[in-house]
């Protein structure tokens, strides 16, 4: 009887040990089946250095972009450039914009293989022409021939004195004026001299001092008068006596000091 009791207790004790082991084994099996998901890589970012640009026709502008990527992103992205209107402005593969004609368009930069892009609005403007009107339609026009524009090595004034080129003052708009601008009478100049064809030119005295000798074309003139075109930059009026240029002028004419 005692032996039977002992065996019964031994069996009960053994069952108690086995049951926790089963529970622990199940627990370990559940833990080993759990997977840890990696954090998704963030999309790259693209930013252009300019969002709006205004250019004159024929001008160029180089645009640049900054690319920001996640530290785990090992992709080698390429920037693709495009213009919404190539008639207004074009863009090269390196972001150089060339203004073609007046208007607006959008320049886009996109990362290859993605939808990530950035934009710049480009406005192209044309330079307004300067409208200068003098005298009547019968007046002599200012032309290249009237300024005797050549590639002469030496330059003369009306008295036959010979000069050489000094420092270039700049490129000027050349217009004409005459006695008709002064009711047909002799033209008195700002320097006190009487305006004389082939000698007198009118200048902006803040740009060129009165009395300065100038080479225009291949002839030497003297700055003896002030013109009334203060709101226009770099204009020189050539005195033509009784006739001059009417609604006609030359642009970008180089003017030098005479020495």
């Amino acid at each position: 009887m005692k032996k039977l009791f002992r065996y019964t207790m031994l069996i009960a004790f053994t069952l108690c040990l086995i049951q926790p082991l089963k529970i622990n084994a199940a627990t370990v099996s559940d833990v080993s089946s759990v997977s840890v998901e990696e954090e998704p890589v963030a999309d790259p970012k693209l930013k252009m250095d300019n969002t709006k640009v205004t250019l004159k026709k024929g001008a160029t502008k180089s645009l640049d972009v900054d690319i920001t990527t996640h530290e785990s992103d090992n992709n080698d992205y390429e920037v693709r450039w495009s213009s919404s209107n190539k008639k207004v402005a074009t863009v090269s593969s390196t972001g150089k914009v060339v203004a073609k004609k007046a208007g607006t368009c959008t320049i886009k930069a996109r990362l290859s293989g993605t939808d990530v892009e950035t934009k710049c609005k480009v406005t192209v403007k044309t330079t307004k022409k300067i409208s200068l009107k003098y005298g009547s339609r019968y007046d002599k026009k200012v032309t290249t021939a009237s300024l005797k524009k050549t590639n002469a090595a030496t330059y003369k004034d009306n008295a036959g004195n010979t000069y050489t080129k000094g420092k270039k003052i700049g490129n000027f708009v050349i217009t004409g004026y005459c006695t008709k601008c002064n009711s047909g009478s002799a033209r008195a100049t700002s320097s006190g001299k009487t305006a004389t064809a082939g000698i007198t030119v009118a200048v902006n005295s803040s740009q060129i001092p009165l009395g300065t000798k100038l080479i225009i074309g291949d002839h030497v003139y003297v700055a003896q008068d002030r013109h009334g075109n203060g709101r226009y930059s770099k204009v020189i009026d050539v005195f033509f006596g009784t006739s001059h240029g009417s609604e006609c002028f030359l642009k970008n004419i180089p003017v030098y000091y005479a020495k």
Side-chain angles (χ1 to χ4, degrees):
M1 188 70 177
K2 288 182 180 181
K3 288 182 179 181
L4 180 61
F5 176 78
R6 284 197 203 116
Y7 287 133
T8 302
M9 291 299 294
L10 180 60
I11 291 170
F13 179 75
T14 303
L15 289 175
C16 289
L17 291 175
I18 292 173
Q19 187 65 27
L21 288 174
K22 286 183 179 180
I23 294 173
N24 290 340
T27 303
V28 171
S29 176
D30 290 342
V31 171
S32 63
S33 66
V34 175
S35 62
V36 178
E37 295 184 2
E38 294 184 0
E39 183 181 349
V41 176
D43 290 333
K45 294 181 180 180
L46 191 63
K47 183 179 180 181
M48 198 175 299
D49 57 349
N50 290 279
T51 57
K52 291 183 180 180
V53 171
T54 300
L55 300 173
K56 291 182 180 180
K57 181 181 176 181
T60 62
K61 173 71 176 179
S62 292
L63 298 176
D64 196 13
V65 292
D66 289 327
I67 305 174
T68 303
T69 59
H70 191 274
E71 60 182 2
S72 300
D73 189 344
N74 296 319
N75 291 318
D76 188 13
Y77 294 107
E78 183 180 352
V79 179
R80 301 291 178 87
W81 296 88
S82 63
S83 171
S84 64
N85 191 338
K86 293 181 180 180
K87 292 183 178 180
V88 174
T90 59
V91 62
S92 71
S93 59
T94 59
K96 183 179 180 180
V97 178
V98 179
K100 294 294 186 179
K101 74 170 189 176
T104 59
C105 69
T106 300
I107 300 297
K108 291 183 181 179
R110 173 178 289 191
L111 290 183
S112 58
T114 73
D115 293 328
V116 178
E117 66 179 21
T118 182
K119 303 176 183 178
C120 175
K121 181 180 179 182
V122 175
T123 302
V124 179
K125 295 184 177 181
T126 55
T127 304
K128 292 183 179 179
K129 293 183 178 179
I130 301 174
S131 179
L132 302 176
K133 297 181 180 181
Y134 299 90
S136 72
R137 61 190 178 90
Y138 301 105
D139 290 338
K140 179 181 177 182
K141 292 184 177 181
V142 179
T143 63
T144 302
S146 70
L147 296 175
K148 302 176 185 179
K149 186 179 180 182
T150 69
N151 294 318
T154 58
Y155 308 85
K156 295 182 179 181
D157 59 16
N158 269 21
N161 298 310
T162 302
Y163 299 83
T164 58
K165 276 184 181 178
K167 182 180 178 181
K168 182 179 178 180
I169 302 173
N171 290 340
F172 286 75
V173 171
I174 305 298
T175 64
Y177 75 118
C178 68
T179 54
K180 289 183 179 181
C181 299
N182 196 30
S183 303
S185 60
R187 177 81 181 193
T189 65
S190 304
S191 63
K193 305 286 186 179
T194 299
T196 306
I199 296 177
T200 303
V201 293
V203 299
N204 181 339
S205 57
S206 65
Q207 295 173 337
I208 301 173
L210 294 181
T212 303
K213 293 183 179 181
L214 309 171
I215 295 174
I216 307 174
D218 71 348
H219 190 69
V220 176
Y221 298 86
V222 183
Q224 294 180 333
D225 209 356
R226 294 187 180 93
H227 61 56
N229 298 305
R231 68 193 183 96
Y232 299 115
S233 175
K234 291 190 175 180
V235 175
I236 293 178
D237 284 359
V238 178
F239 185 77
F240 281 98
T242 58
S243 62
H244 66 83
S246 175
E247 301 181 46
C248 180
F249 57 93
L250 302 176
K251 297 187 292 184
N252 297 322
I253 300 300
V255 176
Y256 302 84
Y257 290 111
K259 66 176 184 176

